[in-house]
Amino acid sequence: MSGLVVVPDRSYYLPGQTVGLQVQIPGRSGGRVTASISSLTSEVATLTGELGRGGTALFEWSPPPTAPRGYGVDLNWSPGGSATEAGSTAFDVLHHWTERPRYGFVADFSAGRRGDAMFDALLPFHINALQFYDWQYRHDELVAPQPDFVDPLGRSLSVETIRRFVDGARFRGIGAMAYAAIYSASLEFQRSHLGWALYDVKGSPLTFEGFLGYMDPTLGRPWSKHLIAQCELAMDELAFDGIHLDQYGEPRHAWDADGEEVDLASAFSGVISALKDRRPGAVVVMNAVKNWPAKILAGSRQDYFYVELWPDQPTYVDVARVVREARRNSHGKPVVVAMYIPSDQIPNVLLATAVVFANGGTRIVLGEEARLLADPYFPRSQAIPDELKQRLRRYWDTAVRYGDLLFTYEPTDGQQLAVEPIPRVSTVVHRGPGVLGISLLNQWLGHGDRWDEPHGAPPPQEDLEVRFSTQLRVNSVLWVNPDGSDPRAREVVWKPTKEGGIVRLPELNYWGVLLFEVEQPR
């Protein structure tokens, strides 16, 4: 692996902001560093500089104000006449991080924790928003009444650490989202407010895992008013950028204190709307646990769609369908997927990430100091093996660099570009500015196609034939291989046919993207 490391100084850039690229080659000094900046398949700028003492260099560039727009950066260091070190990264220009959310998490708010190491570890993955998970004093009293406190599960936390992390995130362009459960309170609170509670069909107060009580979140009722006030206090006191609402997927049927059934799905949407009305500038999102209630939340006023998948959506085909349906039902809003896969199941992590990216979504999988989200209780995150960390970084670089293709919600039709079925390969067609694309996903597993069960790496598919049809004039075909060491699109040989053409690819591991430079009709 190359010793050259380059990292943008922010998670994304607003139109008009200057991009800062921090270059480091440990143990080196002197020599010329060249940075090539590209947008999709076109080079847009070349920068040169000298490697200073300590092996560092800083490049600055002012991109056009067009947004959203993704860029790739490829660097070479030449101490003499030929390049000996190379590296790459990506960045994008967005009006707001919610245009292309790359969600991460933080769950350790111990006193004295600084946070710099965490942000340094997450910036290479372009994480532009953090879910502050279980930061709250109590589910019914979010902001702690004293500087240091113990949460309901016995963890010692610090309000000053929370403030420090919010400030550190904002400095780097990272959104800070405060976790809050939409219908949970301490058992003590529930028992003293039984008229606010949710009940089962037999009239008993509903509880969760023996330490929380369910409350009626119907808009206009006492609990929803209390919760909304608590969320506003969190944004006022701690400067959070928004609220991440959670639920538990069950129950889906509950009753109020008068024995009337509560429409939970409508209540969820109502709380979202109330928060958006009261704080128009705040970001609001809610967890669709087990993809429920998907259609209600997709049609709500939340800023993007967040879905937590469990083994009742067990296959990679299910994952792809959930992402596509969420985008369609929300009229193109971004989709963030939570899936809990242990770090020792590297093929599962890679294929799940590839499937989500290829279908136009992103995953919440990285947080803290580049740890893996492997459990629904976020403090149980796991260390990431170096091999997986490097491969995930290439996936995230690819998603940012080619985001104009992967995340543009303009589904193509067969007249623009279509691909013939390929055995054990899933394909997704994309459309970007002047470029069409096809994501190819290798799903030749041999051990089933469930993401929630350990499996080996799909055998590489070699000499793969891809037949495509289009009515547009194709000028060139290029191949992007996120599983390789070079993120740049490389031109491949293709054979024109009456309907379109044939491409032969040397190898498909997990995921790859074909780019078609075409002449658009006038």
Side-chain angles (χ1 to χ4, degrees):
M1 188 181 73
S2 171
L4 189 155
V5 177
V6 54
V7 180
D9 60 358
R10 292 177 63 84
S11 66
Y12 77 99
Y13 298 87
L14 295 167
Q17 280 187 326
T18 299
V19 175
L21 301 170
Q22 300 172 337
V23 181
Q24 186 172 20
I25 310 178
R28 306 282 193 167
S29 63
R32 180 174 294 274
V33 181
T34 302
S36 172
I37 301 176
S38 60
S39 173
L40 287 179
T41 60
S42 301
E43 184 177 288
V44 295
T46 300
L47 311 176
T48 59
E50 297 295 320
L51 191 68
R53 291 184 177 179
T56 62
L58 175 65
F59 287 100
E60 292 186 338
W61 183 64
S62 297
T66 305
R69 181 60 54 86
Y71 296 89
V73 184
D74 300 292
L75 294 101
N76 289 288
W77 174 64
S78 305
S82 60
T84 62
E85 298 280 3
S88 64
T89 189
F91 64 88
D92 51 12
V93 179
L94 308 174
H95 296 106
H96 195 272
W97 63 262
T98 53
E99 285 187 301
R100 292 179 184 171
R102 296 181 289 274
Y103 220 19
F105 66 92
V106 56
D108 179 0
F109 308 99
S110 304
R113 191 172 180 217
R114 305 303 303 174
D116 290 340
M118 176 180 68
F119 293 118
D120 288 345
L122 293 179
L123 275 179
F125 297 93
H126 320 290
I127 299 300
N128 61 14
L130 288 174
Q131 181 185 152
F132 282 57
Y133 178 90
D134 272 13
W135 63 276
Q136 69 274 19
Y137 172 63
R138 297 290 182 267
H139 287 70
D140 45 77
E141 186 180 356
L142 299 181
V143 180
Q146 64 274 345
D148 298 303
F149 62 99
V150 177
D151 79 356
L153 293 179
R155 297 190 309 149
S156 297
L157 308 181
S158 164
V159 172
E160 181 57 35
T161 299
I162 297 168
R163 292 185 193 277
R164 189 182 302 121
F165 286 1
V166 172
D167 291 343
R170 182 168 291 111
F171 179 74
R172 297 163 176 85
I174 299 173
M177 297 289 288
Y179 172 97
I182 198 168
Y183 48 25
S184 296
S186 64
L187 288 179
E188 293 77 13
F189 186 95
Q190 187 196 55
R191 289 165 184 159
S192 62
H193 298 80
L194 288 174
W196 300 13
L198 284 176
Y199 293 79
D200 64 20
V201 69
K202 296 180 180 179
S204 298
L206 286 165
T207 62
F208 178 77
E209 295 190 353
F211 79 106
L212 294 174
Y214 285 94
M215 310 302 289
D216 181 0
T218 303
L219 190 63
R221 293 185 177 177
W223 169 256
S224 65
K225 292 180 180 179
H226 175 82
L227 174 68
I228 290 167
Q230 287 291 309
C231 291
E232 290 192 283
L233 181 65
M235 289 186 280
D236 289 339
E237 292 291 318
L238 300 174
F240 283 113
D241 296 292
I243 302 296
H244 179 109
L245 297 169
D246 193 21
Q247 47 131 339
Y248 307 139
E250 303 290 344
R252 300 188 183 185
H253 298 281
W255 288 260
D256 64 18
D258 296 324
E260 297 293 325
E261 187 167 5
V262 174
D263 186 344
L264 288 172
S266 295
F268 297 164
S269 180
V271 171
I272 292 169
S273 289
L275 283 168
K276 294 297 289 185
D277 284 339
R278 296 180 68 89
R279 296 298 174 99
V283 178
V284 180
V285 71
M286 180 161 182
N287 187 358
V289 180
K290 298 182 179 179
N291 202 33
W292 179 83
K295 287 190 177 180
I296 294 293
L297 292 179
S300 74
R301 293 171 59 191
Q302 66 179 349
D303 290 274
Y304 48 98
F305 188 94
Y306 182 101
V307 57
E308 182 181 79
L309 296 183
W310 287 82
D312 59 335
Q313 307 276 354
T315 71
Y316 293 104
V317 173
D318 290 327
V319 175
R321 174 183 52 78
V322 166
V323 175
R324 291 197 302 269
E325 287 180 352
R327 298 209 73 190
R328 182 173 64 249
N329 293 335
S330 63
H331 304 288
K333 285 184 180 179
V335 176
V336 178
V337 179
M339 304 161 68
Y340 307 114
I341 302 173
S343 61
D344 61 352
Q345 296 178 17
I346 292 177
N348 298 62
V349 174
L350 291 174
L351 191 54
T353 304
V355 169
V356 172
F357 278 152
N359 284 277
T362 60
R363 283 190 65 201
I364 177 171
V365 64
L366 296 163
E368 289 292 336
E369 295 181 17
R371 292 175 64 85
L372 189 78
L373 183 58
D375 189 276
Y377 183 55
F378 288 17
R380 296 191 186 121
S381 62
Q382 297 178 352
I384 305 178
D386 287 341
E387 174 198 354
L388 179 57
K389 185 180 295 186
Q390 295 302 322
R391 297 190 71 168
L392 286 176
R393 179 173 177 182
R394 291 198 292 270
Y395 275 32
W396 257 255
D397 280 347
T398 299
V400 174
R401 178 186 287 242
Y402 301 104
D404 301 343
L405 192 72
L406 297 172
F407 305 121
T408 299
Y409 186 69
E410 295 182 8
T412 65
D413 55 36
Q415 291 184 337
Q416 283 214 307
L417 182 65
V419 57
E420 289 187 11
I422 307 171
R424 298 301 295 178
V425 173
S426 297
T427 58
V428 183
V429 176
H430 311 284
R431 180 169 64 190
V435 177
L436 300 176
I438 301 173
S439 274
L440 295 98
L441 294 159
N442 183 1
Q443 294 188 327
W444 196 297
L445 297 179
H447 301 285
D449 59 354
R450 295 179 64 107
W451 61 265
D452 64 322
E453 294 181 353
H455 60 70
Q461 300 210 38
E462 299 177 348
D463 194 26
L464 188 67
E465 181 178 277
V466 181
R467 291 179 174 267
F468 66 90
S469 59
T470 181
Q471 294 183 356
L472 302 178
R473 179 187 175 93
V474 177
N475 293 327
S476 62
V477 182
L478 302 98
W479 174 240
V480 177
N481 180 18
D483 295 302
S485 59
D486 192 333
R488 286 173 289 187
R490 299 295 188 181
E491 193 162 354
V492 293
V493 178
W494 64 286
K495 177 183 177 182
T497 64
K498 183 178 180 181
E499 296 78 16
I502 301 172
V503 178
R504 300 200 78 89
L505 298 174
E507 186 175 78
L508 173 66
N509 290 289
Y510 287 85
W511 172 38
V513 186
L514 279 171
L515 305 181
F516 299 81
E517 293 184 314
V518 296
E519 292 184 11
Q520 297 284 0
R522 293 175 181 242

